[in-house]
Structure formats: structure tokens, C-alpha cells
Amino acid sequence: MCRADMVDPKIQIENVNLYYGTFQALKDVTLNIPEREITAIIGPSGCGKSTLLRCLNRMNDLVSGTKVKGRVMIDGKDIYHASVDLVGLRKKVGMVFQRPNPFPISIFDNVAYGPSIHHLASKRQRSHIVERALSAVDLWESLKDRLSDSALSLSGEQQQRLCIARLVAVEPDVLLMDEPCSALDPIATERIEELMRQLVKDYTIVIVTHNMQQAARVSHRVAYFYLGELIEFGPTEKIFTRPSRQETEDYITGRFG
Amino acid sequence: MRKYYEFVVEGLIFASGIASIIFVLLIFIFLLKEGLMVFRDVGLFDFLFGKFWYPISEPPRLGILPLILGSLWVTVGATIISVPLGIACAIFIGEIAPGWLREILKAGVELLAAIPSIVLGFIGLVTLVPLVKKFFGLPTGLTAIAGSIMLAFMAMPTIVSIMEDALNAVPKGYREGSIAMGATKWQTIHRIVLPSASSGIIAAVMLGIGRVIGETMAVMMITGNAAVIPHTFFQPVRTMTATIAAEMGETVQGSEHYFALFAIGIVLFAITFLVNLLADLSLHRKPVRA
């Protein structure tokens, strides 16, 4: 399922230590995330998995008192370097949140928001972008006649798809997903997972999930975190069948967590 | 025994709940009863659109158009000043200011609301009015513009605090979603946060306007109180509220003048009711923009 070697990782996380004030949320994390694969981050609540995800698009910057040490390289460039343009970084690294958060504007305007703030396309081209983005998440057929409806009128699953479409519209490289299915029912979850399998052909996906079955179903690689430390990282089949660390085995077999 | 106790408590709570409605009804009935009497002598059209308010001439002329226009000019002026200022202030407090500054500003705004209107009017009279006179080179500073500026300050706390609540009610997810897409702070505020809070913003503006229309003491002190139809902001005007306050004490109970003042009260009541209704409608409208 996953490539054996990792010649050219998309994201290199090197010796990252992260502090919220005096609390250390990440401890010396080193991790290479390959391109066009789904990497799942698992672990019990409070283990730092969302924090790590939010390091990758610097959303942690919004939390005052956050200090990051170490390096996070995307395409070989340190995103914590002083010269980094946050707007450009976040355009390239999109994020899907735990609760679907479409803006309370029309479906069309939601998808057109990114292209519009990044001045990507003229007004006329935008309708093509919207069509392409909605098609990419399989919403176009069902919504093409009601694009001016409020995005809040959609179901939870449709809202989450719309949030993904909103990112796809600005053509990012990386999609960060923070428990994207935790507010959805099992059927909707399965469909979003199917969407992730389609999207991974074009995007590098990093997903945080508390659901180990989900990690086992969709991911190529799994990173297990505990109390801010990376305990084990490897191909999904290996982690779930022959983990090399006892702690990992305890967690995935449900003896703990 | 316990059952009896429950019954009494329930009865008391019910009575206090219903009392407010009864009082409103009684006030309304009294206002209507007294106010409508004026229409024995004056037609509704002549009353609302009559150009002259000479209540003690013989026969009295009871046209309230100058008063309605006086209120309108002052209100429009106050709205033009307070709405942009209030919106900017609320955005700054709610979205931009760091925590410590936010607390100071919020306390300041609340303090502004706590100043009695008579005090504001007094300060306006001795500071603002001479300033207006000098700045615009007018024969007198007691003008609509002075009233508008003063009232703008009185409307600000209402506008700012309700609007700040509206901004606070915008889910954090909207802001995060926008920032995570690479939007700047300002893009997030004006493209996402403000539209999401639009109903609350409209309500804030409406309630601010309601406050301005109903204000009496400060306006009476600084607008000059000439019951003539104003043509510019730089003329003295007399508002409906000031008319009632100034003349109610001097009129003969049961006279046409007396009834006319009550009728002005009905007009004011209708206007503020309408404004509050609009505010309410926009607050309870589903916060969705298609």
C-alpha cells in the first residue's frame, strides 16, 4: 500500500518542541511525511496530535504564548523562517476542521472565497473554478442548481465536503484534516473516507483521528503520539499488525486509551 | 401545606409576570384616550403635517410637522455620526484590541452609558455649544448639529455593546476557517465576520436610533427649541420630546394643547415601537445570507 522508501518527503518535521506558555505540548518530534499519501496521526486525547497538525499551517500562531522550536520544512523550505509569507503558506496548506465550518454565505461564495481573497481568477473564471472544486468532492451534480442557497442549509456531510471544496479551489498541495468525521454519522464518514482516497492522488493528506479503525482504513502511514511524544511511526499495516513498541500495541488493541 | 405554598408562589410569579404587560396596556390606553381627544378639533392630516405649532394662540394652531422634522434632523445627524463610529469601535474592541485594552475600552463604553443624560446635556451646553458656534461661525450654537453630536455620544454605548455581542456570537470556526485559508485579518472581518453578524449589527443600529429619538433632556438643553421647520443642521430645532417636556407643566389640563401633547406622545410611541420592531425582526431573523 505504501512505498517502502521515502526518498523525497513532502513535509519534514525536525526536532520540534512546542510550548503553550510553560506547558510542553510537543517533545522533540521528528517525522517525515511523504507526498501523495495519507498520513494518520493517532493517540489519546491531549497527546498533541492536533497541536502537531496546527504546526503545519502555523495556526498555532493564533494562540498567544505559543513557542515553537525546531524546524518544519515543506518542500524543503522552513515554514517557521522569518521570511515566510503566512498567506502563501496557508494557501498551500489547507485545513479541514473537526466541525464543518462553511461560512454563512452562499454555496458558490464559499467555494469562490479562496480564489477571491488570493486574487486567483477573474469573476468569470470563478464559476469554472467553483464547478471544478465541487466536482472534485462529488457535490457538483447535486448542488449545481442551488449554488445561491446558503451553505448552512446543507447536511453535515455536504458541509464538510464543501469545506474541502473550498480548499481545493485554491489548489493547495497539502490537506490537513483535524478529525474531519467526528461530527458525522458512520455512512457519511465512509463517504468522506472514499473522498480522501480520491483526493490523495493529487494531494498530500495528514489526518488527525481518534478513530483507530479510520486510521487503519484510509491511511498509508500512521504516527502514534502519547503525551507529546512520537512513540512510533510506520506503514499502517505494520503498525496495526506488528507494532515494534509495546505502548503502541497497548493503544491499538484497546488495552489503554 | 406544601401544595398551598406552591400555589401561592406560582400565583405571585404569574402576577408579577403579567403586571408588566398590564402596566404597558394601561399606559397605552391612557395615552390613546388623552391623545385622541385632540382630533375633535384638528384633523389627523393637519396635525401631522401642519406647519405651525402655536399652541397658545387663539385659536391654537397645532401642526407638529416642525417638531417631527426637528426630531428627524437631530436623529439623522446623530445616526450619521454614531453608526460609523460605533461600528468601528465595536470592531476594534471585539476583533482587534488585545485583551487588556479590550477590557479598558469596554469599561469606558459602559461608563459612557452610565452618565445621566442631564449631565451630558449640561456639559454639551457649556462646552459643545460654544464650540459649534465658533467652528461654524453661527449666530448661536444651539442648533440641530449640536444636538446630533451630543446624541451620537449617547447612542454609542448602545450601538457598541450590542454590536460587540453580535461579533462575539460569530462562531470561532468561521474565523479559523477563513484565517486557515490564508485570508488576512481584515479580509476575515469584512468578508466573513461582519456579514455573519449583520442581523445583530442592524439591531444595534436600530436600538441606538431608538435611544436617540426618545432622548429628551440633553436635546432640550442644546438644540435651541425653536418650533420652526429646519432647513439645515445649523438652525435651532425643537424635537417632539422636548416639546412635551417643556410644555406639559404649563398647559391647562383638558385643553386642546394638553391633548395635543399626548398626541405627540402617541406619534413618538409609534415611531419608537416601529424602530424596536425592526430591530427585533432583524435580531431574530435567521442569520443566513443567501
Side-chain angles (χ1 to χ4, degrees), chain A residues 54 101 104 113 116 118 150, chain B residues 173 176 178-179 181 191 196 288:
Chain A
R54 281 163 179 259
N101 60 348
Y113 183 67
S116 150
H118 295 298
S150 166
Chain B
E176 279 197 324
S178 175
I179 296 283
M181 290 193 66
R191 301 276 305 262
S196 313
V288 167

Side-chain angles (χ1 to χ4, degrees), chain B:
Chain B
M1 186 60 205
R2 166 159 290 172
K3 213 172 164 188
Y4 185 67
Y5 176 77
E6 287 280 316
F7 180 76
V8 169
V9 169
E10 263 179 41
L12 279 175
I13 291 173
F14 175 76
S16 10
I18 216 82
S20 60
I21 299 176
I22 290 176
F23 287 136
V24 168
L25 271 180
L26 286 178
I27 291 170
F28 188 62
I29 289 168
F30 183 70
L31 193 63
L32 277 184
K33 180 172 120 339
E34 300 285 299
L36 291 178
M37 297 285 268
V38 80
F39 297 114
R40 285 183 315 188
D41 304 301
V42 202
L44 177 64
F45 187 84
D46 287 338
F47 180 71
L48 287 178
F49 299 105
K51 291 194 179 97
F52 302 102
W53 175 256
Y54 299 138
I56 42 178
S57 68
E58 198 52 52
R61 303 190 65 179
L62 301 170
I64 63 166
L65 189 63
L67 314 179
I68 294 179
L69 289 177
S71 281
L72 195 72
W73 277 86
V74 172
T75 305
V76 167
T79 308
I80 291 172
I81 299 168
S82 64
V83 167
L85 264 180
I87 290 179
C89 182
I91 291 175
F92 184 72
I93 293 179
E95 302 288 322
I96 296 167
W100 60 273
L101 186 56
R102 176 176 311 173
E103 292 311 311
I104 294 176
L105 286 173
K106 276 171 86 167
V109 169
E110 271 154 37
L111 210 62
L112 190 58
I115 300 174
S117 74
I118 191 87
V119 173
L120 272 178
F122 175 66
I123 294 171
L125 187 64
V126 295
T127 60
L128 181 66
V129 168
L131 208 67
V132 167
K133 178 180 168 173
K134 218 164 87 189
F135 190 78
F136 295 105
L138 303 171
T140 171
L142 297 165
T143 52
I145 185 82
S148 294
I149 295 171
M150 207 68 242
L151 284 182
F153 280 101
M154 300 177 79
M156 279 275 282
T158 310
I159 295 179
V160 172
S161 58
I162 295 177
M163 220 184 107
E164 210 236 319
D165 287 344
L167 293 179
N168 262 332
V170 173
K172 195 166 151 244
Y174 294 169
R175 292 188 185 84
E176 279 197 324
S178 175
I179 296 283
M181 290 193 66
T184 60
K185 188 146 200 165
W186 174 242
Q187 282 172 330
T188 302
I189 290 172
H190 90 104
R191 301 276 305 262
I192 302 297
V193 177
L194 289 183
S196 313
S198 62
S199 62
I201 293 170
I202 293 169
V205 170
M206 285 298 175
L207 290 174
I209 293 176
R211 170 101 211 258
V212 168
I213 296 175
E215 175 49 39
T216 309
M217 287 323 293
V219 206
M220 192 157 83
M221 291 169 84
I222 60 176
T223 55
N225 291 325
V228 289
I229 292 179
H231 297 286
T232 71
F233 274 116
F234 306 108
Q235 280 180 306
V237 294
R238 166 184 276 200
T239 64
M240 292 188 278
T241 49
T243 307
I244 300 176
E247 298 178 8
M248 193 51 104
E250 302 164 2
T251 183
V252 182
Q253 262 202 27
S255 67
E256 263 179 70
H257 184 198
Y258 172 85
F259 293 135
L261 292 179
F262 271 98
I264 296 176
I266 297 177
V267 174
L268 259 179
F269 182 83
I271 293 173
T272 40
F273 179 76
L274 198 74
V275 169
N276 280 333
L277 188 72
L278 287 176
D280 217 42
L281 284 180
S282 62
L283 255 188
H284 293 113
R285 195 182 61 183
K286 271 179 107 186
V288 167
R289 204 187 58 159

